[in-house]
Amino acid sequence: MEFLLTVNSASSSFVDRHIGARRQADVEAMLKAVGYDTVDALVDTAVPNDIRQDSALQLAPALSEVEALAELRKLAAKNKTAVQMIGQGYYDTVTPPVIRRNVLEAPAWYTAYTPYQPEISQGRLEALLNFQTMVQDLVGLPIANASLLDEATAVAEAVLLMRRANKNKTAHDGKTVLDADCLPQTIAIVKGRAEALGFEVEVADLSQGLPDGDINGVVLQQPGVSGRVFDHSEVIAAAKERGALVTVAADLLALTLITPPGEQGADIAVGSAQRLGVPLFFGGPHAAYMAVQKGLERSLPGRLVGVSKDNAGVPAYRLALQTREQHIRREKATSNICTAQALLAIVASMYAVYHGPEGLKAIAETAHGHARTLAASLQAAGLDVLHTSFFDTVTVSVPGKAGGIIAAAEKKGINLRSIDADTVGISTDETTTPAIVADLLAAFGAGAAEATDGFALDAAVERSSAYLQHPVFNTHRSE
């Protein structure tokens, strides 16, 4: 006797799970609410004939979700992944699996937009407050926002903030001066914004002092794109004497070892939080930060999380100073409701909670140590290393040989920064290993040096102040 087993499974097509209402009763209820009998009648009203395509799309049959994922994996497998050592504000990092699973990939976190309903957003607001606290501690300034879009646009926002907030009569309408060692994308974005808004921008080597003329604001990079770390306090003091405000674009991980901008007298600090556990993501998105001196908080763009008390006297979180935002002030706003990367700021804040001050410092010291090994080894091989004080980026002079060295490194699966035909840039990070350093030195035709004494950070820029002292950064270590 034969038995035929028939399994009637629910539809596995992608549209049934992911696109709108599919049950006829649901469709009819929605049509009734908007006053139409059929979906086609609704589409006829919503999509005029003159913008429609005449013929149907020539598409292959639809795949199920499982089939679509398999096809995407095939495509992804064609990507050639390499070790990224290009720098310029982008670094590889390790996203702790517990943060990846429970925050980055968790719909409760990643689907949220703006926490305007604080009564149902306390966890998110607390995580963003941790982000603000982390930034304030690392940059040495008292007020930070709950993230901006990315570093280059954050610098542009800081430039506009300086132009709004500078009350000095001679400096107010002066030019904006950018250090030549700022990231190239930052310089390009600020120049573009300046052209649209009609103010002057000058790019100059500020290690040689400030240029002549009235200056509204100055932007410095720490460390510079070349890797150079130098003491900004003198140029900041000179700018203040001339009535200018000062912004420092700073690397948060580097600030575990380097004197923070606030302690050197900066008015504003901006930068990226990408290297604190946020993957490179094929170039973005990545959360930026901005922190300011007291007195500038009402000109600060973006969201600001504050602490209040509820009616039972228990601490409660809410968005503060919302009158800066466009949904309330419209044309007078200093911000708009989209200027944030809340999820990625939360990932960065959780990374700081996960590692704590000692863990962040250890990661920074490891990256710095690898950079020092590279610099000492290349110098021992007779090459000219351009800066002796750096954090994680080494710029090396290789007259006429840059192309060959970059190609040799690429063969070993390592991407380097091509500065020009004579100069190569190398940036280490949390994922750099001794094996990667050895492969890189081989591409230069150099061996590993034993001593790295000549490449310590200058004593003038070494950080002495504490950071991340709040219990939240010192309590949670196990998963």
Side-chain angles (χ1 to χ4, degrees), residues 132-279:
Q132 291 176 186
T133 305
M134 170 190 78
V135 169
Q136 287 159 200
D137 281 6
L138 290 173
V139 303
L141 288 167
I143 302 144
N145 68 14
S147 82
L148 290 169
L149 289 179
D150 68 356
E151 179 166 357
T153 56
V155 174
E157 291 277 10
V159 166
L160 298 185
L161 194 162
M162 293 191 292
R163 300 201 74 81
R164 284 196 301 272
N166 194 328
K167 305 301 182 208
N168 184 294
K169 284 182 183 176
T170 54
H172 183 270
D173 295 318
K175 61 193 170 189
T176 295
V177 177
L178 306 181
D179 188 12
D181 215 18
C182 284
L183 301 176
Q185 63 269 29
T186 294
I187 293 173
I189 293 266
V190 172
K191 281 183 170 177
R193 192 72 66 91
E195 188 178 340
L197 296 176
F199 62 88
E200 185 186 350
V201 173
E202 181 174 340
V203 180
D205 180 358
L206 297 183
S207 64
Q208 305 302 310
L210 292 169
D212 296 330
D214 294 337
I215 300 173
N216 168 278
V218 173
V219 180
L220 296 154
Q221 188 89 38
Q222 184 77 301
V225 71
S226 67
R228 179 189 64 176
V229 172
F230 83 101
D231 186 356
H232 285 153
S233 52
E234 277 187 33
V235 72
I236 291 172
K240 293 293 183 68
E241 275 180 35
R242 290 169 60 176
L245 293 175
V246 179
T247 294
V248 175
D251 181 322
L252 290 177
L253 189 64
L255 294 180
T256 61
L257 305 181
I258 295 170
T259 310
E263 290 178 22
Q264 293 196 330
D267 300 289
I268 304 165
V270 289
S272 172
Q274 178 266 317
R275 70 186 310 173
L276 301 187
V278 180

Side-chain angles (χ1 to χ4, degrees), residues 95-114:
T95 309
V98 66
I99 295 175
R100 193 187 71 230
R101 287 192 309 271
N102 297 311
V103 180
L104 194 59
E105 296 174 355
W109 287 103
Y110 71 63
T111 55
Y113 180 50
T114 300

Side-chain angles (χ1 to χ4, degrees), residues 351-398:
Y351 182 90
V353 169
Y354 181 87
H355 287 293
E358 299 86 1
L360 287 188
K361 188 172 184 179
I363 292 165
E365 284 174 338
T366 302
H368 179 54
H370 286 312
R372 287 177 67 177
T373 298
L374 282 166
S377 304
L378 294 171
Q379 189 179 66
L383 298 173
D384 183 16
V385 175
L386 300 187
H387 305 295
T388 56
S389 181
F390 52 77
F391 169 55
D392 60 12
T393 297
V394 177
T395 304
V396 57
S397 177
V398 286

Side-chain angles (χ1 to χ4, degrees), residues 14-98:
F14 191 88
V15 291
D16 284 315
R17 296 290 186 191
H18 293 273
I19 301 179
R22 306 291 294 169
R23 293 188 183 94
Q24 191 57 37
D26 294 340
V27 171
E28 285 171 5
M30 293 168 76
L31 286 169
K32 186 177 178 185
V34 293
Y36 289 90
D37 295 326
T38 65
V39 173
D40 286 342
L42 174 60
V43 170
D44 286 339
T45 304
V47 186
N49 272 328
D50 57 352
I51 66 166
R52 289 197 203 185
Q53 187 169 304
D54 294 330
S55 55
L57 293 172
Q58 300 300 305
L59 297 175
L63 300 177
S64 71
E65 183 167 3
V66 172
E67 289 167 331
L69 286 171
E71 197 61 35
L72 287 169
R73 284 191 191 98
K74 265 192 219 171
L75 285 172
K78 293 181 180 181
N79 285 326
K80 285 185 185 174
T81 56
V83 175
Q84 303 306 331
M85 302 186 84
I86 298 170
Q88 296 185 93
Y90 295 90
Y91 297 89
D92 236 336
T93 181
V94 177
T95 309
V98 66

